[in-house]
Amino acid sequence: MSVKRTILYTGALTCALAMPLHAQEQAAENPVTLWDNFSLDNILTMVVQSFIPTLRVLADVRYEQIDVDVVRNRIALVGVDVRPFLPYVEGDACAITADGLVMSGQPLDRQQGYIINIALEGTVLDFDCLPSDARPVVGMMGVDDIRLDRMTVNVNYDFASGGAMINFGADLDKLAALSGSVDLDYISYRMDLDTEEVSPAVYVNHAQLTLENRGLYEAGSRMASPGMLDPAALEQLIPGALSEMFGEMNGFEARELSREQEAFINQAVVTATAFVANPGQITLETDAPNTPVRLGESDLEDPKGIFSKLGPTIGTVPMAISRGIPAAELKQAIDGLLPAARNLDVGRALLSGVGAPRNTTLGLRLLDPLAKEGNAEATSLMAEAMQYSNAATAYRLALHASANGQTGSLSLLNDLEDALSLNQLLEVQDIMLGGGGPVAADFDSIGDIRRAARGHLLGTTRIRSYRAAYYWASVGAATGDVASAAIRDEIDTIMRLRGATNAWTEVQTSLENGVLRDWVGRDLPAKLQK
């Protein structure tokens, strides 16, 4: 058989094997063709299956089933069995099994950033997989195989802000639960143009790590020396151990502890004694005096500086609980008796679900009076909460918030416009703009006219209004201002890309007639020459 024929035969056989079984069972009136094999689901499945042999260089990898959902941007491996090649393990004695491994990303209808979600369910790590020096310690704790009920990693990067939310969690059966989160305001990777080296940095809003006892403390306490866990002993051991550790971190020339480091040690003593009395959980988190905190490579060489910037704390209760909305205030909110001065803070907590259980209905009810008074932060919070349930109302709120300094609402405006028809968004814009729009007498120069057009187009300094932006851009263009003409043409392009050319043509004709009427009737050329 020739090489060409062999390749064609192999390719045809591969495609045939990859066809789903249900395709083989279709009725005769719907015959399967070669093109049926090239669905997105099938292509992505073959890509994943092609990647598995690469992993098998490092470990024996088996799985019972693969499930691909392109619309949800999701891949799932069911019945996973991995036998890694480890130098201290004979053959395939080390087995890692999992009920399922699920990887998902940004849904196709939500394209505001990058999302990576990884979930590992029902994982068992054989005792033989542990390094030899770790086995005696684990064995003394009474642990056989290590069982991971669930492990998750979630990364959400936002295009508009350049920030990210990172969350992870792991539940070890009969041992502990570990969870953490990092809220990054911005991720910087600027390049030094002289050295062509990237200088990465992150702007941190908050970070948290929580260890929950689920049997680990009881198992470990059996190996502790008598009296070692008594409060009096802890008050002696912990300060000494942490002082030595922080001193080594600070360096020989700066071993003296900072005020923040000493405060952390005092908190650690209180936390340890409280945990021993009631083994629940320990939470380590940042309490920065000013956020966001910029951390670059140089900051890693200054432990005292990091402590000062981040203000790390340790306790048995997360700050979201200790500093959250008191139950008494939540009851007042439910009963309609909450003081108006607390509406913003309590409403924000209810909408975000941080500091209070999420309750969108109650949160919106508290913020509504503030929004009617023109509070930009309240309108921004409400717009974000209502973007999927009531796009028109959310758009109205976002218009106000963006025009009044809430820059985060600008990207929301663009997203909401995709959910509204041209007539709907123009109607909301007209209502928000009202009858108080600018007139020619308000402007002293062509530059003022251009800035008005640009402001109405962007929606950051003025209410976004395509009608007002087009009107003033046309006036500016008539004076010979090239930048105004570009704004006018940009609006036409926006409408064409929206697929609203026909609907916009009617609006455009009316606006052009109005510009010409005012240009002549109000003698705008003469006014602009004064």
Side-chain angles (χ1 to χ4, degrees), residues 37-174:
N37 191 56
F38 294 99
S39 67
L40 288 176
D41 282 357
N42 281 353
I43 291 174
L44 187 55
T45 300
M46 285 189 283
V47 169
V48 175
Q49 289 175 333
S50 299
F51 179 70
I52 295 297
T54 303
L55 295 179
R56 287 174 175 155
V57 175
L58 304 174
D60 292 337
V61 180
R62 300 179 179 88
Y63 56 90
E64 295 176 2
Q65 184 179 353
I66 183 171
D67 178 46
V68 175
D69 188 332
V70 174
V71 174
R72 293 169 60 190
N73 203 2
R74 173 182 176 275
I75 300 173
L77 296 177
V78 180
V80 180
D81 185 304
V82 179
R83 310 286 173 125
F85 304 141
L86 301 175
Y88 53 84
V89 175
E90 294 185 5
D92 59 356
C94 171
I96 304 173
T97 60
D99 294 337
L101 171 63
V102 180
M103 296 171 287
S104 60
Q106 183 83 24
L108 292 183
D109 64 337
R110 300 283 187 269
Q111 294 298 327
Q112 289 84 20
Y114 294 121
I115 290 182
I116 301 173
N117 298 319
I118 301 175
L120 197 59
E121 304 277 359
T123 304
V124 178
L125 177 71
D126 278 354
F127 186 82
D128 291 335
C129 296
L130 298 174
S132 302
D133 54 354
R135 294 177 191 177
V137 177
V138 175
M140 290 175 64
M141 296 173 63
V143 176
D144 188 3
D145 294 335
I146 297 177
R147 301 179 183 277
L148 188 65
D149 294 337
R150 180 177 174 83
M151 184 185 74
T152 59
V153 178
N154 311 104
V155 180
N156 189 337
Y157 176 81
D158 180 61
F159 286 142
S161 67
M165 282 294 300
I166 304 171
N167 303 289
F168 62 90
D171 293 329
L172 289 167
D173 184 42
K174 299 179 182 180

Side-chain angles (χ1 to χ4, degrees), residues 351 360-361 363-365 367-368 371 378-398 412 416 419-420:
L351 290 184
T360 304
T361 302
L364 291 174
R365 192 178 81 193
L367 295 176
D368 186 60
T379 56
S380 178
L381 292 169
M382 291 180 68
E384 185 176 356
M386 300 176 69
Q387 60 181 308
Y388 301 123
S389 61
N390 191 329
T393 301
Y395 187 65
R396 174 177 60 81
L397 294 166
L412 182 58
L416 288 168
L420 298 172

Side-chain angles (χ1 to χ4, degrees), residues 181 206-210 281 283-287 313-327 329-330 342 345-346 348-350 352-358:
S181 64
H206 184 256
Q208 177 178 327
L209 182 66
T210 298
Q281 66 180 19
T283 297
L284 177 67
E285 58 188 314
T286 61
D287 187 19
T313 65
I314 188 170
T316 57
V317 178
M319 289 189 299
I321 295 178
S322 61
R323 300 182 185 178
I325 307 300
E329 280 195 331
L330 291 176
R342 293 291 296 153
D345 290 337
V346 178
R348 184 194 299 111
L350 288 167
S352 67
V354 178
R358 175 179 287 177

Side-chain angles (χ1 to χ4, degrees), residues 377-452:
E377 185 176 356
T379 56
S380 178
L381 292 169
M382 291 180 68
E384 185 176 356
M386 300 176 69
Q387 60 181 308
Y388 301 123
S389 61
N390 191 329
T393 301
Y395 187 65
R396 174 177 60 81
L397 294 166
L399 283 170
H400 178 274
S402 179
N404 287 275
Q406 297 294 316
T407 55
S409 295
L410 182 60
S411 62
L412 182 58
L413 275 182
N414 299 328
D415 293 336
L416 288 168
E417 288 187 0
D418 293 336
L420 298 172
S421 67
L422 177 62
N423 290 335
Q424 285 177 313
L425 68 89
L426 290 180
E427 180 181 359
V428 176
Q429 289 177 354
D430 292 344
I431 293 172
M432 290 299 297
L433 190 62
V439 295
D442 295 333
F443 301 122
D444 296 327
S445 67
I446 296 172
D448 289 341
I449 292 176
R450 183 196 317 120
R451 282 185 285 274

Side-chain angles (χ1 to χ4, degrees), residues 96-287:
I96 304 173
T97 60
D99 294 337
L101 171 63
V102 180
M103 296 171 287
S104 60
Q106 183 83 24
L108 292 183
D109 64 337
R110 300 283 187 269
Q111 294 298 327
Q112 289 84 20
Y114 294 121
I115 290 182
I116 301 173
N117 298 319
I118 301 175
L120 197 59
E121 304 277 359
T123 304
V124 178
L125 177 71
D126 278 354
F127 186 82
D128 291 335
C129 296
L130 298 174
S132 302
D133 54 354
R135 294 177 191 177
V137 177
V138 175
M140 290 175 64
M141 296 173 63
V143 176
D144 188 3
D145 294 335
I146 297 177
R147 301 179 183 277
L148 188 65
D149 294 337
R150 180 177 174 83
M151 184 185 74
T152 59
V153 178
N154 311 104
V155 180
N156 189 337
Y157 176 81
D158 180 61
F159 286 142
S161 67
M165 282 294 300
I166 304 171
N167 303 289
F168 62 90
D171 293 329
L172 289 167
D173 184 42
K174 299 179 182 180
L175 286 176
L178 182 68
S179 62
S181 64
V182 181
D183 179 0
L184 301 179
D185 189 75
Y186 188 76
I187 301 174
S188 173
Y189 37 88
R190 291 181 297 179
M191 176 181 289
D192 186 323
L193 298 180
D194 293 330
T195 63
E196 296 186 356
E197 293 182 356
V198 176
S199 300
V202 292
Y203 292 74
V204 182
N205 285 326
H206 184 256
Q208 177 178 327
L209 182 66
T210 298
L211 177 66
E212 179 186 353
N213 175 52
R214 297 179 60 187
L216 180 62
Y217 173 76
E218 290 75 12
S221 61
R222 292 194 292 265
M223 297 185 295
S225 303
M228 181 179 178
L229 299 178
D230 291 340
L234 293 175
E235 290 177 1
Q236 296 296 321
L237 291 173
I238 292 177
L242 289 181
S243 295
E244 183 178 354
M245 182 181 74
F246 289 154
E248 291 180 358
M249 288 171 50
N250 294 340
F252 180 77
E253 297 180 355
R255 289 187 64 85
E256 183 179 352
L257 303 187
S258 67
R259 181 183 59 186
E260 291 81 8
Q261 289 174 331
E262 290 178 347
F264 182 86
I265 292 174
N266 293 334
Q267 289 178 350
V269 173
V270 174
T271 300
T273 54
F275 179 81
V276 169
N278 181 22
Q281 66 180 19
I282 294 177
T283 297
L284 177 67
E285 58 188 314
T286 61
D287 187 19

